[in-house]
Amino acid sequence: MLMSRPSLLITRRLPASVLERLRASYEVTVNPDDRALGREALLMALRSFDALSPTITDKLDAALLLNSGLRTRIIANFGAGFEHIDLEAAKRANLVVTNTPDALTDATAELTILLILMASRRAGEGERLVREGKWTGWAPTQLLGTDVKGKTLGLVGFGRIAKEAARRARAALGMRIAYHSRSRASADEESALGAEHHATLESLLAASDVISLHCPGGAATRHLINANTLARMKSTAILINTARGSVVDEDALANALAQRQIAAAGLDVYEREPAVSPALRELENVVLLPHLGSATLEARTAMGMQMADNLDSFFAGRTPPNRVA
């Protein structure tokens, strides 16, 4: 008799090649609406499927994970971040949790560079000027931005994405590199990237021309960038966030930008995503992107294949390569 295949619910639409691979081994159900599932739907999924593949838009807290009668045995997250999953509750519920940490490094690092260039050269303002039919032609002092060559890129956090962004900023843009993180990099890594370590965030903020956030989300980093820390930055500085929206106090940032306390910002993530602060949307000196960090076909496919590797290992009785709980 043939053994039944594990059932898997995927909460958002994934690239076709990923679904094709998964359907070869699992009974796959894909959320047809391609929108974040509500609590009732998530609870039903946990009680109905052997495996669940959520994304950052699906909040799996203790109140959900500690329900009785759960069928799910593994939460194979599609994404590197997992602060939307209560890991302690998952452990108490004997749920394995995995993520996809490596696949989005290059794409997100590229987007960091894009935001640096867009914010420094006022590209968002220029694009709006043309689209709105308000451009009257070239002028010597029109939309003057600032060069980044020779300027200091300060990285808050120094993981895979931050290091890759540093490599690209140094090689392509001629920027100097500085960083602050919980763990100091090795001397060899610092030497290879020409990276200057700052023992405190305050020191890094004061020394940097561009601050780029690469720290995890969660309670420990919530509003790390706030009115007090923004006041430490140069008036000519640019803030870039491709990490998590919760790291930035958006009200404080909007005020700092409006008052020209800092020069500009480039954001790909938001505190109350997908809602974006109306105060930010009214400002010209901020670039606002719709969470495009890993949004390349190559990156999203690689993430899906990594997720499939985690599922395959788990159901084969092996420890998944990217287990986080």
Side-chain angles (χ1 to χ4, degrees):
M1 179 181 293
L2 293 175
M3 297 289 289
S4 62
R5 302 190 304 172
S7 59
L8 167 65
L9 175 67
I10 300 171
T11 67
R12 304 300 294 268
R13 191 178 302 131
L14 300 182
S17 59
V18 175
L19 292 176
E20 181 180 3
R21 173 180 168 180
L22 290 169
R23 284 176 173 141
S25 302
Y26 305 94
E27 295 297 329
V28 174
T29 300
V30 180
N31 172 18
D33 295 330
D34 195 30
R35 294 184 179 182
L37 293 180
R39 295 183 66 80
E40 292 288 333
L42 285 171
L43 180 57
M44 183 177 294
L46 289 165
R47 287 175 169 169
S48 305
F49 293 87
D50 298 310
L52 176 65
S53 174
T55 72
I56 194 169
T57 63
D58 304 300
K59 186 171 179 58
L60 293 159
D61 56 23
L64 279 176
L65 297 178
L66 296 178
N67 269 275
S68 60
L70 300 191
R71 176 175 171 178
T72 296
R73 298 155 56 198
I74 177 172
I75 298 173
N77 188 54
F78 182 82
F82 44 82
E83 60 269 17
H84 55 295
I85 304 171
D86 189 322
L87 296 186
E88 289 303 316
K91 292 175 185 176
R92 289 169 58 191
N94 294 316
L95 284 165
V96 169
V97 181
T98 62
N99 72 335
T100 60
D102 301 313
L104 45 66
T105 299
D106 285 343
T108 308
E110 285 178 359
L111 197 84
T112 299
I113 301 302
L114 174 65
L115 283 170
I116 291 171
L117 290 173
M118 287 187 72
S120 64
R121 293 299 303 272
R122 302 174 65 179
E125 293 176 70
E127 205 260 358
R128 287 188 291 276
L129 190 71
V130 173
R131 282 189 179 274
E132 292 168 6
K134 297 179 180 179
W135 185 47
T136 58
W138 182 88
T141 58
Q142 183 181 64
L143 291 177
L144 295 181
T146 183
D147 290 337
V148 295
K149 183 177 181 180
K151 302 291 176 60
T152 297
L153 171 60
L155 300 153
V156 180
F158 207 51
R160 297 181 186 91
I161 296 170
K163 290 173 184 174
E164 189 56 41
R167 290 186 188 97
R168 293 167 190 246
R170 189 172 185 235
L173 305 181
M175 299 188 78
R176 296 194 297 264
I177 306 301
Y179 77 98
H180 168 72
S181 67
R182 290 175 297 180
S183 301
R184 184 167 182 174
S186 68
D188 287 345
E189 284 183 309
E190 289 184 355
S191 177
L193 293 171
E196 178 186 1
H197 175 255
H198 285 254
T200 66
L201 174 62
E202 291 74 17
S203 172
L204 181 74
L205 295 175
S208 299
D209 300 293
V210 178
I211 287 290
S212 185
L213 304 176
H214 298 279
C215 48
T221 59
R222 178 172 173 75
H223 288 184
L224 184 70
I225 301 301
N226 53 49
N228 291 330
T229 48
L230 285 163
R232 303 272 186 163
M233 294 173 63
K234 297 178 180 179
S235 61
T236 54
I238 296 169
L239 177 71
I240 304 295
N241 189 10
T242 58
R244 289 291 177 260
S246 60
V247 178
V248 176
D249 181 338
E250 287 186 4
D251 292 337
L253 175 60
N255 183 65
L257 289 167
Q259 299 299 321
R260 301 287 172 167
Q261 188 177 345
I262 66 171
L267 308 177
D268 189 46
V269 289
Y270 304 93
E271 188 175 358
R272 292 172 286 275
E273 195 169 314
V276 179
S277 163
L280 285 174
R281 287 192 279 114
E282 292 173 2
L283 295 169
E284 287 288 352
N285 57 337
V286 56
V287 178
L288 305 171
L289 296 184
H291 205 145
L292 296 178
S294 62
T296 68
L297 178 60
E298 294 84 355
R300 295 281 169 84
T301 299
M303 290 165 66
M305 296 303 182
Q306 197 170 32
M307 182 193 78
D309 289 342
N310 288 325
L311 287 166
D312 290 350
S313 292
F314 175 81
F315 285 107
R318 303 188 300 271
T319 300
N322 302 114
R323 181 173 181 172
V324 294

